């Protein structure tokens, strides 16, 4: 873990480097394909987002090629969860698909993707939230208007806890000297991102973005 001086910290950022990010997208595509196939087998049609170059939302009746579409399971998104578990040896990243998506597809759940990241991906720093907002959500895609697409397209990812979210975290009792004692969960939505921090020894947790509008 790298950091600025303690009295200057106002942000925590989880960095996902290129080699790790490169593992996420093909895994997401395989999960998306599995979900769409399951829903088509059950109902004969499926709502999806982003098909080829056409983009947008549509209803399909045939299984698209791998990577051409992802399932549309609701207006709020939340299709994938990114969970960071820091330790003195590094940081475990687990990417999981929402149970509701497998229910939507009437298929068995698939195993999550587990990636071991180096310790330097966890950064305590000073930064200003992006776009003059009160806090920053993770950026997953190159295009700003792809809020309904949850498959990543950037080469590297950042999952920040900054601005008012960092203030809430500290007020809750989070200890910056014990970063490894907590688990950090990000659920990117169609608008904004749900953030949950859990104190692993006690099981206590805080929903940082509860009752907060993007």
């Amino acid at each position: 873990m790298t950091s600025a001086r303690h009295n200057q910290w106002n942000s925590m950022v989880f960095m996902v480097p290129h080699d790790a990010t490169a593992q996420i997208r093909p895994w997401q595509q395989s999960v998306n394909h599995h979900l769409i196939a399951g829903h088509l087998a059950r109902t004969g049609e499926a709502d999806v987002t982003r098909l080829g170059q056409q983009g947008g939302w549509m209803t399909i009746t045939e299984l698209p090629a791998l990577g051409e579409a992802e399932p549309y399971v609701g207006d709020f998104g939340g299709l994938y969860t990114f969970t960071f578990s820091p330790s003195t040896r590094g940081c475990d990243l687990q990417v999981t698909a929402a149970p509701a998506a497998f229910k939507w597809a009437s298929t068995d759940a698939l195993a999550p993707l587990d990636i071991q990241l180096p310790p330097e991906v966890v950064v305590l720093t000073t930064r200003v939230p992006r776009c003059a907002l009160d806090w920053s959500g993770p950026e997953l895609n190159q295009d700003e208007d792809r809020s309904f697409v949850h498959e990543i397209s950037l080469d590297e990812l950042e999952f920040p806890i900054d601005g008012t979210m960092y203030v809430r975290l500290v007020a809750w009792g989070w200890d910056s000297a014990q970063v490894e004692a907590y688990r950090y969960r990000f659920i990117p939505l169609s608008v904004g991102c749900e953030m949950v921090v859990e104190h692993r020894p006690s099981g206590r947790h805080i929903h940082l973005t509860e009752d907060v509008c993007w």
Side-chain angles (χ1 to χ4, degrees), residues 98-192:
F102 296 107
K103 183 178 180 180
W104 172 86
S106 296
T107 62
D108 294 334
L110 298 178
L113 174 66
D114 292 301
I115 303 174
Q116 180 65 35
L117 303 174
E120 57 266 24
V121 305
V122 185
V123 181
L124 293 175
T125 186
T126 298
R127 60 188 286 169
V128 177
R130 293 190 293 258
C131 305
L133 297 173
D134 290 338
W135 54 281
S136 306
E139 291 186 341
L140 304 180
N141 296 299
Q142 296 173 347
D143 300 328
E144 295 180 357
D145 61 347
R146 292 164 65 92
S147 60
F148 285 95
V149 175
H150 303 286
E151 179 188 301
I152 66 171
S153 61
L154 293 175
D155 291 334
E156 296 184 339
L157 306 177
E158 289 187 4
F159 291 80
I161 300 177
D162 60 15
T164 56
M165 296 302 104
Y166 187 86
V167 172
R168 287 184 176 212
L169 184 60
V170 172
W172 173 67
W174 173 78
D175 185 355
S176 61
Q178 300 182 40
V179 170
E180 296 84 3
Y182 301 86
R183 182 179 291 113
Y184 307 82
R185 186 164 69 245
F186 298 81
I187 308 175
L189 307 174
S190 301
V191 178

Side-chain angles (χ1 to χ4, degrees), residues 17-129:
H18 173 76
D19 58 341
T21 301
Q23 301 178 50
I24 300 174
R25 188 176 189 183
W27 177 84
Q28 287 182 312
Q29 290 179 343
S30 66
V31 173
N32 290 339
H33 204 251
H34 172 81
L35 293 171
I36 295 170
H39 197 276
L40 284 171
R42 179 170 67 87
T43 68
E45 62 180 28
D47 293 337
V48 302
T49 56
R50 195 211 49 191
L51 183 63
Q53 298 299 316
Q54 300 176 10
W57 171 90
M58 61 193 67
T59 300
I60 60 174
T61 57
E62 295 182 357
L63 185 64
L66 182 70
E68 282 194 348
E70 66 176 39
Y72 182 85
V73 298
D75 293 339
F76 297 102
L79 185 56
Y80 292 103
T81 297
F82 299 80
T83 303
F84 295 86
S85 302
S87 70
T88 55
R89 300 179 304 277
C91 182
D92 294 326
L93 168 60
Q94 184 176 82
V95 189
T96 56
F102 296 107
K103 183 178 180 180
W104 172 86
S106 296
T107 62
D108 294 334
L110 298 178
L113 174 66
D114 292 301
I115 303 174
Q116 180 65 35
L117 303 174
E120 57 266 24
V121 305
V122 185
V123 181
L124 293 175
T125 186
T126 298
R127 60 188 286 169
V128 177

